[in-house]
Amino acid sequence: MQTLSMIRLDLLLETIGGTVALLISHFAHGALKLTGESRLSDLSTGFLVLSAAMFGRVIGTIYFFVLRGGGTEGSETAQTLMAVVTIAYGVMKIMAYVLFAFSTRPAASSTRPQPTVLLALPALLDSRLEIVAVIILIVVVLQSILNYLAVRTKYALYVLVGFSLLLLGHLTLILSNNPARGYMMHQVFQFGGLLSLLVMLVRVGQVD
Amino acid sequence: MKRRRSYRSKVRILVDMMRAIQQEGDDGAGPTKILYAANLSHDRLTQYLEELIEKGLVCAVEEGGSSRVFLLTDRGREFLREFTKVEKFSEAFGIEI
């Protein structure tokens, strides 16, 4: 019963988080249309992929429970489906983080790696998805720190807090002794991170 | 820690011109003021002013003799408001526009 309510909460946080990611993607796309700045395209795609990953996981999990209700045969299919959903979720999140790393990189950077190589990274290392996610998010957070130090605006601070909470979420998942508790903490941190980005978006919308 | 700015994008130049016009309020801004504020050559200024007028973001008003002043249209003011939001959003992620 406790597990079921934990899953319900997890799916709720994931749904709200996916909606926030979709909103940010939409705003970034509007900004891209206005300015033509290609890095906004990376940012918009990154949040779109993150949103798709989160919604995909919600739908996959619900379908898992539907299949499990269909007897032993359905239960086996459900296990396979859940395994696929879990890997796809991890891979898509890493792709989103890679796009965040590209879009937030310092403007003068001349050592840009080939996107295709980095996007293939999660597929090559699927057994260590969380570690890959942490490494990429460390890069994103470091770039956000540099950006905050350069511009020192509250908006840049919200972004820094947002990405830091996403990183903290992945770290809790890896370091926690209790997997269930670690997973819930991961969800809460991830939700907090996206909430911080939502606050930034709302504040930007109030600028006159 | 200061960020090194490379060259300005076209949209940034247009916005700099529009902000120069906005600063002058209802009196409008003459070409020289816009030229200095947006740091442009005379040829570029003429070309971009024509573009702003064509897009309906700025309008020109004759002010006796051959001199003209430029004013923001409602569409221009709305564009500047939207651009400021986009600017803050992009800056928050370290994206220069």
Side-chain angles (χ1 to χ4, degrees):
Chain A
M1 194 67 184
Q2 197 187 354
T3 314
L4 203 64
S5 50
M6 202 174 94
I7 289 168
R8 274 192 204 137
L9 177 66
D10 158 45
L11 292 184
L12 179 71
L13 293 182
E14 201 91 69
T15 307
I16 300 170
T19 311
V20 172
L22 198 61
L23 276 173
I24 299 169
S25 169
H26 177 72
F27 194 92
H29 183 70
L32 167 72
K33 282 207 290 187
L34 194 74
T35 63
E37 171 56 54
S38 62
R39 289 205 291 162
L40 285 166
S41 167
D42 292 341
L43 191 70
S44 170
T45 312
F47 278 106
L48 189 65
V49 171
L50 183 64
S51 169
M54 295 170 105
F55 285 130
R57 200 182 147 269
V58 171
I59 294 165
T61 309
I62 293 169
Y63 195 52
F64 167 79
F65 284 110
V66 172
L67 283 178
R68 263 188 53 166
T72 323
E73 203 177 305
S75 183
E76 277 173 23
T77 319
Q79 296 293 346
T80 314
L81 171 87
M82 210 52 213
V84 171
V85 167
T86 307
I87 291 173
Y89 177 65
V91 170
M92 285 173 83
K93 273 175 100 173
I94 289 170
M95 285 179 177
Y97 298 158
V98 168
L99 287 163
F100 295 159
F102 281 136
S103 57
T104 58
R105 74 188 182 278
S109 171
S110 58
T111 54
R112 181 180 181 174
Q114 287 300 311
T116 43
V117 176
L118 268 174
L119 288 173
L121 203 60
L124 298 170
L125 296 162
D126 69 308
S127 59
R128 297 180 191 271
L129 286 178
E130 285 305 318
I131 294 170
V132 177
V134 165
I135 292 167
I136 300 168
L137 274 174
I138 287 172
V139 174
V140 175
V141 169
L142 285 176
Q143 288 179 171
S144 301
I145 291 171
L146 288 177
N147 180 50
Y148 176 68
L149 291 175
V151 297
R152 288 193 185 273
T153 63
K154 60 183 174 188
Y155 310 107
L157 185 61
Y158 285 128
V159 170
L160 172 59
V161 171
F163 284 141
S164 301
L165 285 173
L166 288 183
L167 172 63
L168 211 56
H170 283 282
L171 284 174
T172 353
L173 199 58
I174 292 173
L175 301 173
S176 176
N177 292 327
N178 181 341
R181 196 168 159 224
Y183 184 72
M184 248 355 261
M185 290 296 283
H186 161 74
Q187 287 296 339
V188 170
F189 278 126
Q190 177 180 267
F191 181 71
L194 287 165
L195 214 59
S196 174
L197 294 173
L198 179 68
V199 172
M200 182 275 297
L201 198 64
V202 171
R203 290 278 170 94
V204 162
Q206 289 167 344
V207 170
D208 207 21
Chain B
M1 199 168 159
K2 280 273 170 199
R3 175 168 294 169
R4 187 164 59 89
R5 179 174 279 282
S6 48
Y7 59 88
R8 286 184 297 170
S9 64
K10 188 180 169 186
V11 70
R12 164 68 61 190
I13 296 171
L14 295 179
V15 166
D16 286 348
M17 291 170 68
M18 290 172 72
R19 283 185 174 150
I21 296 170
Q22 192 179 39
Q23 274 178 0
E24 296 303 313
D26 294 338
D27 297 335
T32 315
K33 268 192 180 150
I34 305 170
L35 187 139
Y36 282 117
N39 196 18
L40 287 170
S41 68
H42 185 266
D43 287 349
R44 273 288 166 90
L45 176 81
T46 315
Q47 180 195 334
Y48 287 146
L49 274 174
E50 288 305 320
E51 194 170 332
L52 286 172
I53 292 169
E54 230 171 75
K55 287 179 173 161
L57 300 170
V58 160
C59 63
V61 178
E62 299 292 334
E63 204 186 44
S66 59
S67 69
R68 287 200 301 175
V69 290
F70 297 91
L71 288 158
L72 283 188
T73 60
D74 288 343
R75 197 173 166 198
R77 272 188 286 273
E78 182 57 32
F79 177 86
L80 268 189
R81 263 196 296 274
E82 282 307 306
F83 186 87
T84 306
K85 288 174 188 173
V86 165
E87 197 176 32
K88 299 278 178 206
F89 174 81
S90 306
E91 195 184 75
F93 287 97
I95 301 172
E96 279 184 44
I97 47 175

